[in-house]
Structure formats: structure tokens, C-alpha cells
Amino acid sequence: MSGLKLDHIYKIYPSGVQAVTDFTMEIEDKEFIVFVGPSGCGKSTTLRMIAGLEEISDGDLYIDNIRMNDIQPKDRDIAMVFQNYALYPHMTVYDNMAFGLKLRKMPRAEIDARVKEAARILGLETYLQRKPKALSGGQRQRVALGRAIVREPKVFLLDEPLSNLDAKLRAQMRTEITKLHHRLATTFIYVTHDQIEAMTMGTRICVLKDGIIQQVDAPQKLYDYPANLFVAGFIGTPQMNFFDAVLTGTKDKVYVEFENHKLLYPKAKSSKIINLDDYLNTGKPVVIGIRPEDFHDDEMFISNSKETVVEVNVEVVERLGAETLLYCVFGEQEELEEGVIKSLVETNTQMIAKVDARSNTQAHQKVTLGVDILHSHLFDKETELSILEGEGTKAYVPVVELERLQKLEEEKAEKERIKAEKEAAKLAAKEAKANKNKVDGE
Ligand code: ADP
């Protein structure tokens, strides 16, 4: 059993950079957890704190219920694989894999058995006597994995292990690492900035931004129920389309209005809106999120969804073979004087639709697209959190986020109090003046 518990962990570098804030997560034995997020979001720092290569500023780290904060890296029973392989160039593949075990003074026969078993699992048996320079990038990465495997650690930590490989090899190694995880049945923690790697490999994914957890969930859950705008935009390619919108209508018939369009928001969705009264006909801004794949240009779909269509102008069509991308703008296409060529930077595509490869839609065409509104997402523009029950509510909302929201609420209440005070003072002054005039008049 090798579960991990990260309990309110913080990392503040001596320079003052707060790289990780209130990281709280439990990782079960044999899980394949992926930390994903843009560069600088604190993924490697968190991994390095688990490995013991970086001190934990605050909070507690447990592996198998034992507090690890003050335990030396070599005594944590973990193995780490880095992006740059970190192989010894003068040693053979065999010696590279055996080196760590020799240092630990393991009996020679045991080392030999472990190295050969790792080589068998990784398909490196015929390369054992080669030096790293005579290996391909993928083979080198496998040796780096082998060096971790022979240690038989409780936890594997992998820091962007595939980013030095070309796209094809990366895809191949991705499936190899997933297979390795199944075979070894050990806990894996994998760091990447690549959402495709995260989606394909992780049993659960932890999305990070600015050192703060945004959501922890299974890959499909992240895609189907993003907790906030950041996760919605980060998971999925091309990115989800976002439109500033307001909600109008009645409780029984809610409309979502954006870009001069008014779409019927079906009861199945509107009944899930948290605090609908705050938004309905109040002008409180929301953001509707629609994934490119949830727009359709086929007749059948459009005729079945008359109240949920948009009219757009197609600027560019990209035929990718298996699917077609439409880069579209709302409103009329600008009429240019004859002979005037529009600047490239002026084309501001407002949305992307991913339609069937057999679509006949052409560039510079005005088209109607049907929206699969049941799969759309709704966020509060101010808090950026999902306002659909079962999306935002289920997700992990970090303590700091709650504090920020609470602070926003307090600030709002304070502003309202000041406004009310000012109005009361104005009213009192008006009354006093009226009374004075009355007295003067008498
Ligand atoms: P990621 O792995 O997500 O790209 P890192 O964990 O490497 O991000 O970095 C998180 C933040 O901490 C960044 O702002 C980075 O500049 C900062 N950082 C990383 N290492 C150090 C360090 N040794 N000293 C000061 N700041 C650091």
C-alpha cells in the first residue's frame, strides 16, 4: 500500500515567490495521478517536495501515513524520472540501471535479476551493453525508466519525461508508460503541461494554475464538468468557445443572450442553475462555454434545434481529414472597398466550430450552426466558477478561493453600506433644507 496525503502544503521560495498554495490532495495506492497546468504553475515544485528535493514551507506530506517532511529523499522509497534522462554517458545501459542498487550495497545476484527483469519489461534486453550515446531518444528514456523500476519504489515520480521526444515517439512512449503502470501496479505521479498526455494517461488529473489547485477529477469528468473557466479553457482542443452573456425570460423558460442571439436554455439545464434569481433578468454577467465539437452544421441537427442556433460568417475552413474546423465571426463581414486587402491581424475569429469532415461549408459563407446546448457550460463572469449544479459544486474549491470569494462578498456589502449611508445623509440634508425653507418661509 502506498497512498499519499498532501495536507495544506505551501512552498514559498526564499526569493518570496509563492509557488504552491494550500495544496491538499489524497492519492490512493496504484493511482496514476497527473499534475497538469501551464508553465510556472507549480507542478515541478510540488513533485520535488514529494521527492524531498525541495523543502516544504508549510503543511504536511504523508506517504503510507508516515509524515515525510523531515525524511531524507533516499529514505522516502520513491524513484524519480526526469525530462533530460540524466544517464551516465560513460556507463553501459546495464550499469546505468544497476548503479543505484550497487550504491545501496545490494547483493550482486539480486541486482542482476532486477536489471534483467526491468530490461525485459522495457524491451531493452538487446541493448544492455550499449552506452547511452548509441541509443535513440526513446530508448534512453526507457533506460531512465528502467533505472527507476529496479529500485522497486513505492511511488514513481515523473517530471515531463517525454518532452524531449518527437511527436510520434511521444505518443508511443505515452502508451508504454500507461502499460508499465498497469504491469507494475504502483502509484505514479506524472507532471506535464500537455493536456493530451494528462487526458490519456491519468486515472485522475489535478489541474493547477498559479500554484493553486483548480480541480481534481477523472479525465472525462474534467471535460464534461469543468469547475471554472480556467479548467474549461485548458482541457480540450481546440479550446472551448466563451461568450459573455446574460440570462433572461422566466423560471420556466430561460434564455441565454449573447452576440445578438437569444438561445433557449432547456429546462434540463436551467433547473440546475445555482441561485437562478441572481441572474434571471438582472443583467448579472455570465459566460456561456460551448466546445467546438458542440456546434453542428448538418441540416438534420439544425432542423431539430431551431431555438438553439447561431448565425455566423465563416472566415477560414481547415480540413483536417477526420474533421473540419470552421473559424467564424459573428455579425456581418466587413465590406471593403474594391482593391483593399484586409490586414491579417484584423481578423478576429470569435469562435471555432469542429464539424463533420463531410461538411460542405465554405470560407466567406454565412451559415447557421446548431448548438448542442445540453453540453454547454455556464459560469459566473465575476467568480469564474461554474454555476451549474454538479459541475462547480462537486469540484474542489481551494481554501484561498473561498477566502477570495468571501472577501469579494464583504467588499460588495461594504460598498453597499457606504452607498446606503451616503443616500441617507443626502436625504437628511434634503429634508433639513426643506424644513429650513419652510421655517424661513413662515
Ligand atoms: P512548473 O513546473 O509548473 O512549470 P515550477 O514548479 O517549476 O512550475 O515553478 C513554479 C513557480 O516557482 C514559478 O513562478 C517559478 O518561477 C518559481 N520557482 C521555481 N523554482 C524556483 C527557485 N528555485 N527559486 C525561486 N523561484 C522558483
Side-chain angles (χ1 to χ4, degrees):
M1 285 293 290
S2 352
L4 279 88
K5 186 172 169 194
L6 293 100
D7 200 11
H8 299 288
I9 285 183
Y10 285 74
K11 176 68 192 181
I12 301 156
Y13 281 109
S15 61
V17 173
Q18 183 154 335
V20 177
T21 302
D22 196 35
F23 195 110
T24 296
M25 179 177 183
E26 287 200 35
I27 297 172
E28 281 173 35
D29 185 33
K30 301 189 182 65
E31 273 202 280
F32 194 130
I33 293 291
V34 181
F35 294 164
V36 71
S39 178
C41 71
K43 314 177 285 288
S44 298
T45 301
T46 309
L47 201 72
R48 292 168 64 80
M49 285 194 283
I50 296 173
L53 303 175
E54 210 67 75
E55 205 181 314
I56 296 171
S57 308
D58 197 11
D60 302 298
L61 167 73
Y62 300 89
I63 300 180
D64 282 349
N65 296 321
I66 300 169
R67 192 171 179 273
M68 286 287 145
N69 292 47
D70 307 315
I71 307 245
Q72 287 293 312
K74 65 176 175 49
D75 299 325
R76 291 192 185 191
D77 212 353
I78 45 152
M80 193 149 168
V81 180
F82 298 93
Q83 175 180 352
N84 59 7
Y85 324 134
L87 301 180
Y88 300 109
H90 58 283
M91 288 186 196
T92 61
V93 167
Y94 185 101
D95 288 336
N96 260 290
M97 291 206 264
F99 187 67
L101 305 183
K102 279 186 191 158
L103 279 187
R104 278 157 207 259
K105 309 227 171 344
M106 188 178 276
R108 193 178 280 256
E110 168 90 29
I111 296 178
D112 191 59
R114 286 197 186 189
V115 169
K116 286 191 173 143
E117 174 61 5
R120 188 188 64 77
I121 294 172
L122 294 164
L124 286 170
E125 286 157 303
T126 54
Y127 303 99
L128 284 172
Q129 293 316 314
R130 285 206 198 168
K131 298 238 172 95
K133 70 171 184 301
L135 298 175
S136 71
Q139 288 161 343
R140 280 181 214 170
Q141 192 49 274
R142 267 188 253 151
V143 179
L145 285 169
R147 208 169 39 179
I149 293 173
V150 294
R151 303 244 324 262
E152 296 183 358
K154 278 186 187 162
V155 184
F156 278 86
L157 305 178
L158 301 104
D159 193 356
E160 305 244 8
L162 307 184
S163 23
N164 281 353
L165 306 178
D166 65 47
K168 194 169 163 217
L169 205 51
R170 219 165 42 223
Q172 189 188 327
M173 285 300 290
R174 220 160 57 202
T175 49
E176 284 188 20
I177 292 179
T178 307
K179 276 196 247 164
L180 189 65
H181 172 247
H182 288 310
R183 219 159 286 173
L184 299 178
T186 312
T187 312
F188 275 47
I189 306 178
Y190 188 103
V191 159
T192 179
H193 63 273
D194 180 348
Q195 57 107 7
I196 300 203
E197 265 177 31
M199 291 295 280
T200 51
M201 300 169 89
T203 48
R204 278 193 308 155
I205 299 174
C206 169
V207 185
L208 286 161
K209 181 189 162 217
D210 300 336
I212 299 173
I213 296 183
Q214 304 294 305
Q215 188 169 1
V216 181
D217 241 321
Q220 195 63 38
K221 283 266 176 63
L222 280 185
Y223 177 89
D224 289 336
Y225 307 112
N228 60 26
L229 275 177
F230 179 80
V231 176
F234 193 77
I235 302 290
T237 45
Q239 192 187 313
M240 187 187 289
N241 299 287
F242 295 122
F243 308 108
D244 286 346
V246 287
L247 301 179
T248 57
T250 62
K251 271 198 172 144
D252 287 325
K253 207 162 187 191
V254 176
Y255 289 94
V256 50
E257 295 194 29
F258 64 96
E259 303 283 353
N260 287 329
H261 284 79
K262 187 171 174 178
L263 270 54
L264 180 67
Y265 204 62
K267 190 89 180 128
K269 296 284 282 187
S270 66
S271 62
K272 287 191 183 155
I273 299 176
I274 304 162
N275 298 334
L276 177 62
D277 287 340
D278 286 355
Y279 301 95
L280 198 61
N281 305 315
T282 61
K284 189 170 164 61
V286 295
V287 175
I288 181 165
I290 305 168
R291 293 200 185 275
E293 47 273 38
D294 292 325
F295 285 106
H296 299 267
D297 68 348
D298 58 285
E299 288 291 325
M300 184 83 146
F301 191 96
I302 294 166
S303 60
N304 281 332
S305 55
K306 288 209 174 67
E307 289 197 87
T308 52
V309 294
V310 291
E311 306 279 339
V312 290
N313 284 296
V314 181
E315 282 210 321
V316 175
V317 176
E318 269 182 8
R319 297 196 189 276
L320 301 176
E323 66 215 12
T324 292
L325 299 182
L326 310 177
Y327 293 76
C328 314
V329 292
F330 284 97
E332 289 305 316
Q333 247 168 357
E334 206 184 323
E335 288 285 333
L336 292 176
E337 277 176 43
E338 221 176 283
V340 176
I341 298 172
K342 198 174 173 186
S343 146
L344 277 182
V345 288
E346 274 174 41
T347 54
N348 52 340
T349 297
Q350 290 160 336
M351 54 155 279
I352 302 178
K354 191 196 273 186
V355 296
D356 197 277
R358 283 168 284 269
S359 157
N360 290 322
T361 302
Q362 304 292 329
H364 313 300
Q365 202 182 344
K366 189 171 180 174
V367 293
T368 301
L369 297 176
V371 178
D372 186 350
I373 198 108
L374 285 173
H375 287 126
S376 66
H377 305 269
L378 211 54
F379 306 92
D380 181 293
K381 188 170 163 69
E382 194 179 7
T383 65
E384 299 191 354
L385 295 175
S386 169
I387 56 169
L388 292 175
E389 216 171 280
E391 300 205 359
T393 45
K394 247 195 233 159
Y396 174 83
V397 180
V399 175
V400 279
E401 186 60 16
L402 290 176
E403 280 171 1
R404 189 175 77 85
L405 295 178
Q406 200 176 349
K407 212 165 142 222
L408 273 177
E409 284 292 314
E410 281 168 8
E411 278 170 11
K412 208 168 113 192
E414 179 64 9
K415 265 189 207 153
E416 271 168 16
R417 193 185 61 77
I418 293 172
K419 199 171 145 202
E421 255 179 29
K422 272 190 189 156
E423 268 169 18
K426 231 195 255 170
L427 209 67
K430 219 172 167 185
E431 261 175 31
K433 202 174 163 193
N435 281 340
K436 189 169 175 285
N437 286 346
K438 218 164 126 192
V439 172
D440 289 349
E442 281 166 2

